[in-house]
Amino acid sequence: MPNPDLIPEPFAQSGDKNPIPLERAIADPIYRASWKAGFPPDTRLPKDLGGEAPDGLDFNGVLNILSQAVVFLQKGNAYQFDPALAPYPIGALVRSNDNLTTYQSTVPNNSNNPNSNMTGWRIYNSSGFIVDNLTTNDSAKALSAKQGKVLADSKIETTARGAANGVASLDANTKVPVSQLPAASTTAIGAVQLNNTLTSVSTAQAATAAQAKLLNDQAFGVGQTWQDVTSLRALGVTYTNTTPRAIVVTVVNEFASNQDILDVFVNNVKLMGVDKGFGAGWLADTSFIVPPGNTYRVEKTVYPNIQSWVELR
């Protein structure tokens, strides 16, 4: 609907008028008006009963002040914070001193001046209150409708269905159903299922990091060093590989005659027998692998004389 008739300027703005006091002073005439009492009772009595006519300048003064407020609001203005009007109720709106920001009271009986103390106030709107970008990180500002449209245009519609282009509908938890995810392969990009075993032969699943670590922990030679354990080993004694990886054992022995034999056992299974047929004083070595947790021992007949025993472990 159109605006009502506007007041062009405050009533009696250029005419004579009295300032209206809050209360009538004792020395004031009995017909004077005040904001607290309005026009006194004497102005409402007939003259023949002692009544007094109200002062026309008081009428001008009252109407001038009231119409000032109307004209002020007609022009789209808003009132600034005024301590004389405090405390302000919850929800009250006041303009900043520069008229560029509007504050709203968030508490009742608010006497804080938001121009210097925002306690109990929040910014209702201001210059720059609406931002036209998607990069401003300010929880006190509003996003423009234009940027809201950008977000709406780029969202995935809940009615979209799984397709070759990867667009999928969302379930009640705003997640893409597994059935709509394309499967990955050696030639196609898509969802990959993890497999936490080392026994699968699947070409569509990926091993977990845990299994990769397990392989690395068991990798032969990785993190292992040759160690001289000659002083810790003896022929005929059973030892156990307590490490998580396979180890290599190399034993060098001096033979006394061509009757000497060097036998190697892993988990009580005889792997080899080394027969030195060149006579006394010859050296022979043997190397073998011991899996994790397996036992091993080296036995020799006639002339047990170990020259060295080293292990890669």
Side-chain angles (χ1 to χ4, degrees):
M1 60 180 294
N3 291 331
D5 292 341
L6 301 179
I7 300 175
E9 66 174 32
F11 186 83
Q13 184 70 6
S14 302
D16 295 331
K17 49 190 170 292
N18 285 333
I20 307 302
L22 181 62
E23 294 182 281
R24 186 175 66 86
I26 296 178
D28 287 338
I30 59 173
Y31 51 80
R32 287 297 311 277
S34 66
W35 286 114
K36 278 195 171 182
F39 287 94
D42 297 73
T43 62
R44 299 192 294 274
L45 292 175
K47 292 195 68 173
D48 56 359
L49 294 179
E52 295 283 346
D55 192 336
L57 296 182
D58 282 353
F59 278 104
N60 281 357
V62 171
L63 293 175
N64 177 259
I65 292 177
L66 295 179
S67 58
Q68 278 187 41
V70 175
V71 172
F72 181 80
L73 296 175
Q74 279 181 173
K75 293 180 179 293
N77 293 304
Y79 285 92
Q80 297 179 357
F81 176 86
D82 191 329
L85 296 175
Y88 285 84
I90 187 172
L93 300 175
V94 297
R95 192 72 62 84
S96 61
N97 289 345
D98 61 6
N99 291 317
L100 296 178
T101 301
T102 300
Y103 304 109
Q104 184 178 46
S105 177
T106 59
V107 296
N109 301 317
N110 193 351
S111 296
N112 295 317
N113 184 343
N115 293 284
S116 57
N117 182 0
M118 283 292 292
T119 303
W121 296 93
R122 74 178 181 95
I123 294 179
Y124 190 74
N125 60 45
S126 65
S127 175
F129 180 70
I130 297 178
V131 294
D132 191 35
N133 61 67
L134 293 174
T135 58
T136 300
N137 185 18
D138 192 336
S139 61
K141 293 185 177 180
L143 185 69
S144 69
K146 175 183 175 182
Q147 295 301 325
K149 183 177 183 301
V150 171
L151 293 176
D153 291 345
S154 61
K155 73 178 181 180
I156 297 177
E157 297 294 340
T158 57
T159 56
R161 296 300 173 189
N165 62 2
V167 177
S169 62
L170 304 181
D171 61 19
N173 298 317
T174 66
K175 296 181 178 180
V176 178
V178 174
S179 60
Q180 296 186 23
L181 294 174
S185 70
T186 56
T187 58
I189 298 175
V192 179
Q193 185 178 12
L194 297 178
N195 189 313
N196 196 39
T197 72
L198 290 176
T199 57
S200 173
V201 295
S202 172
T203 59
Q205 296 177 328
T208 63
Q211 295 302 324
K213 181 180 184 301
L214 180 61
L215 288 175
N216 182 70
D217 291 344
Q218 296 176 350
F220 183 71
V222 177
Q224 294 177 303
T225 59
W226 283 105
Q227 301 178 32
D228 188 343
V229 293
T230 304
S231 62
L232 303 176
R233 300 289 186 261
L235 294 173
V237 179
T238 299
Y239 301 99
T240 301
N241 177 12
T242 58
T243 73
R245 306 183 188 188
I247 65 173
V248 177
V249 179
T250 297
V251 178
V252 177
N253 189 77
E254 179 184 357
F255 285 81
S257 70
N258 56 10
Q259 300 300 316
D260 291 343
I261 299 175
L262 200 65
D263 295 326
V264 174
F265 296 85
V266 174
N267 265 10
N268 292 320
V269 176
K270 184 176 180 179
L271 301 186
M272 66 185 76
V274 180
D275 181 3
K276 178 58 178 164
F278 295 100
W282 288 86
L283 300 178
D285 66 85
T286 181
S287 295
F288 55 93
I289 297 174
V290 183
N294 280 209
T295 61
Y296 59 102
R297 71 179 183 276
V298 178
E299 296 181 352
K300 179 183 171 295
T301 61
V302 182
Y303 189 64
N305 185 15
I306 297 175
Q307 296 297 306
S308 67
W309 186 317
V310 295
E311 297 179 357
L312 177 67
R313 57 189 302 122

